[in-house]
Amino acid sequence: MLTLEQLSVSYGEGLVLRDVSLTVPGGGAVCLMGRNGVGKTTLLKSIMGLLRPRGGRITFDGASLNAVPTDERARRGIGYVPQGREIFPDLSVLENLRIGLIARGQSQAAVPEEIFTLFPVLREMLHRKGGNLSGGQQQQLAIARALVTKPKLLLLDEPTEGIQPSVILEIENVINRVKGSVSILLVEQHLEFARGLADSYYIMEKGTIVASGAIGLLNDEVVRRHLTV
């Protein structure tokens, strides 16, 4: 579903990603891990078209994305849940969800019922402003807004950050329910959450991939060497 080949991205003259290659298979879930500041968020922004690569190739669903603008990437089937959620705080829950429909080019369509099956709490809060939700509820709204676009690929950047354990479990259950019909690239520090969702992993250091494999091979030695602070 997604292939990165020798992707390099810079901020100004500083190279942040160096020849990064990874693959997300159709229906699979891949976790991208690494200490803070190694380039994980930069990689997701590059896939989404928010940053322009200096070199390399991004292929999604069989077609190159390098020259495709961000809005078209969303219409082609990439859903993005950024770090910090970035919902619209002054819009209601319903209005936030409708933003997803607009991104899909279906501004007049109703929010799919399956969204409220996955996130029952959102049905109860449709007319509440996003800024008045708890952190966990905002995260659920951000994921729901991405799923409204009916993505083929879902990019999740630190979805457990600052979220209470009970809501983390709810989010894990939702992602496991959609996994298979949606390919997932997850940036995550929470090891147990990653192990509960991902089929495989990649680890980054200083903007490059230093380890990868099946999630069952993510042992204590790999964690100690590459992830422990």
Side-chain angles (χ1 to χ4, degrees), residues 116-134:
F116 302 119
T117 301
L118 293 170
F119 300 101
V121 68
L122 297 182
R123 188 196 299 276
E124 303 166 10
M125 301 180 173
L126 279 179
H127 302 293
R128 186 176 299 185
K129 284 188 175 182
N132 294 334
L133 305 183
S134 69

Side-chain angles (χ1 to χ4, degrees), residues 3-227:
T3 303
L4 308 184
E5 300 171 271
Q6 303 293 303
L7 190 71
S8 295
V9 178
S10 60
Y11 287 119
E13 295 303 312
L15 201 59
V16 180
L17 299 182
R18 298 172 177 83
D19 298 325
V20 173
S21 297
L22 64 78
T23 299
V24 180
V30 174
C31 185
L32 179 64
M33 312 178 83
R35 298 182 178 99
N36 289 334
V38 300
K40 304 183 300 295
T41 293
T42 296
L43 186 144
L44 293 191
K45 287 183 175 181
S46 301
I47 295 168
M48 202 63 224
L50 299 171
L51 296 172
R52 184 177 296 276
R54 175 182 286 188
R57 181 179 173 89
I58 303 172
T59 303
F60 171 66
D61 201 18
S64 173
L65 285 184
N66 285 47
V68 177
T70 298
D71 59 334
E72 178 61 22
R73 296 185 196 205
R75 283 191 290 272
R76 289 191 186 188
I78 302 179
Y80 178 42
V81 182
Q83 187 176 25
R85 300 177 279 276
E86 295 188 15
I87 62 159
F88 297 98
D90 293 327
L91 297 183
S92 69
V93 166
L94 180 58
E95 288 167 335
N96 268 276
L97 293 173
R98 293 196 64 79
I99 294 294
L101 293 172
I102 291 169
R104 200 175 80 194
Q106 295 186 339
S107 59
Q108 302 304 312
V111 176
E113 183 62 28
E114 64 190 287
I115 294 297
F116 302 119
T117 301
L118 293 170
F119 300 101
V121 68
L122 297 182
R123 188 196 299 276
E124 303 166 10
M125 301 180 173
L126 279 179
H127 302 293
R128 186 176 299 185
K129 284 188 175 182
N132 294 334
L133 305 183
S134 69
Q137 291 163 348
Q138 288 184 5
Q139 187 63 276
Q140 291 178 81
L141 176 57
I143 295 171
R145 183 179 61 188
L147 290 176
V148 160
T149 68
K150 295 189 175 179
K152 299 174 184 176
L153 172 68
L154 182 62
L155 308 177
L156 295 166
D157 195 352
E158 302 275 14
T160 69
E161 185 178 40
I163 305 300
Q164 66 190 58
S166 62
V167 179
I168 290 176
L169 185 59
E170 291 177 20
I171 290 173
E172 181 178 345
N173 289 337
V174 166
I175 297 172
N176 268 320
R177 287 171 69 179
V178 301
K179 189 176 81 169
S181 59
V182 178
S183 301
I184 295 168
L185 179 57
L186 165 73
V187 167
E188 186 53 63
Q189 304 270 24
H190 191 299
L191 280 174
E192 293 311 309
F193 185 81
R195 285 181 169 128
L197 286 174
D199 306 308
S200 59
Y201 73 92
Y202 291 84
I203 297 178
M204 291 183 67
E205 284 185 6
K206 296 180 180 178
T208 191
I209 301 296
V210 295
S212 63
I215 198 70
L217 301 178
L218 182 59
N219 57 36
D220 291 342
E221 173 58 23
V222 175
V223 170
R224 182 195 63 77
R225 186 184 310 163
H226 299 297
L227 299 175

